[in-house]
Amino acid sequence: MYEFRVKDYDINISIVNKKDNMPLFVLNSYEREIEKIKNLVSDKSLVLVEVSGINWNSDMTPWKYNEFSGNADNYLNILIGEIMPKVNKYLKENSVNVINYSLIGYSLAGLFSLYVSTKNTMFNYFASVSGSLWYKGFKEYFKKYKFNNKRFYISLGDKESDTKNKTLKTVKDNTLEIVKYLEDNVYFEFNNGGHFKDEIIRISKAIDYLTVE
């Protein structure tokens, strides 16, 4: 594993079952989880890049809403302009060619993944795992874009909308509406339970899907 730091962010790179040509997964993580995830995808060949030290309510949100600061664009600029060049330099030095770039996130980081899919970046695969798609205005924003050359994995716990909170309650309907909009470009599944269940397993399922050609 190779570790480095950019500004306030800690980056860990792990090459699993090295080959010359490998898919790369960037996981924006609330806390360091890379070792647990590696154990669940140990049968695959991939590059796993975990970014932690994230200001969750700021870096992962696209615009201001209640207590959320909406600084996703600023973080995305750091990810693309400063973090990924260092990642790619390290991989080149280790003779790894990246065949595709996936962005994975859980909760607000799942929201961020779908937000990034509306931008022109190096990423072409996106996973929103129990994503915070209740976020005000996001469904309407997302449906303004076309995604013909992009691939999506979206999942949601089947109990996540069982809440008295009127905003959080919309997560199921919003998620299913986005899935319907994406049509053939998305794979969707329900997981058992609420929002805080089996996070690592749910993330590994996204990786499983996005590594199958």
Side-chain angles (χ1 to χ4, degrees):
M1 187 179 300
Y2 177 67
E3 303 180 15
F4 64 95
R5 189 172 177 85
V6 172
K7 294 184 166 62
D8 294 327
Y9 306 104
D10 294 310
I11 298 90
N12 296 277
I13 306 173
S14 185
I15 300 174
V16 182
N17 299 322
K18 183 181 175 182
K19 293 183 178 179
D20 292 339
N21 300 297
M22 306 178 75
L24 181 147
F25 293 83
V26 172
L27 172 66
N28 291 300
S29 179
Y30 186 72
E31 59 185 8
R32 185 164 172 168
E33 300 166 324
I34 191 168
E35 292 295 340
K36 295 177 182 178
I37 294 170
K38 278 173 57 181
N39 289 336
L40 293 180
V41 298
S42 59
D43 61 326
K44 300 186 177 299
S45 294
L46 56 88
V47 179
L48 185 59
V49 179
E50 181 182 46
V51 184
S52 55
I54 291 169
N55 186 328
W56 208 242
N57 288 0
S58 176
D59 295 337
M60 297 291 100
T61 53
W63 46 77
K64 289 183 179 180
Y65 171 53
N66 289 343
E67 71 269 29
F68 306 103
S69 312
N71 289 316
D73 287 332
N74 181 63
Y75 171 69
L76 179 58
N77 288 337
I78 295 170
L79 178 62
I80 297 298
E82 300 183 49
I83 295 174
M84 292 310 298
K86 291 181 180 294
V87 170
N88 285 327
K89 181 175 183 293
Y90 171 78
L91 295 176
K92 185 177 180 180
E93 290 171 350
N94 285 272
S95 302
V96 173
N97 177 57
V98 177
I99 57 175
N100 55 61
Y101 291 86
S102 296
L103 186 63
I104 296 182
Y106 195 96
S107 193
L108 283 173
L111 172 75
F112 177 78
S113 290
L114 294 194
Y115 178 66
V116 173
S117 73
T118 70
K119 310 288 185 177
N120 291 319
T121 69
M122 64 177 62
F123 296 103
N124 49 355
Y125 291 0
F126 304 88
S128 174
V129 183
S130 291
S132 301
L133 305 186
W134 48 261
Y135 204 84
K136 185 176 181 180
F138 184 77
K139 175 186 66 178
E140 293 78 11
Y141 165 85
F142 187 81
K143 290 173 67 177
K144 294 178 182 178
Y145 293 85
K146 300 297 182 183
F147 305 96
N148 295 332
N149 298 315
K150 296 175 180 178
R151 183 176 173 186
F152 295 84
Y153 172 94
I154 297 176
S155 67
L156 188 70
D158 59 7
K159 303 297 184 185
E160 292 196 47
S161 61
D162 294 349
T163 173
K164 294 181 180 179
N165 185 296
K166 291 182 179 179
T167 300
L168 299 181
K169 197 173 185 67
T170 66
V171 68
K172 180 180 177 180
D173 288 344
N174 287 1
T175 299
L176 292 178
E177 190 168 332
I178 285 173
V179 168
K180 183 178 180 181
Y181 178 73
L182 287 170
E183 296 182 322
D184 296 335
N185 292 357
V186 62
Y187 178 82
F188 172 75
E189 64 180 325
F190 277 116
N191 292 306
N192 293 327
H195 187 67
F196 298 102
K197 182 180 180 183
D198 299 331
E199 176 186 347
I200 302 302
I201 294 173
R202 293 180 183 185
I203 291 172
S204 70
K205 289 169 72 174
I207 294 174
D208 284 341
Y209 175 75
L210 293 176
T211 50
V212 174
E213 293 299 327

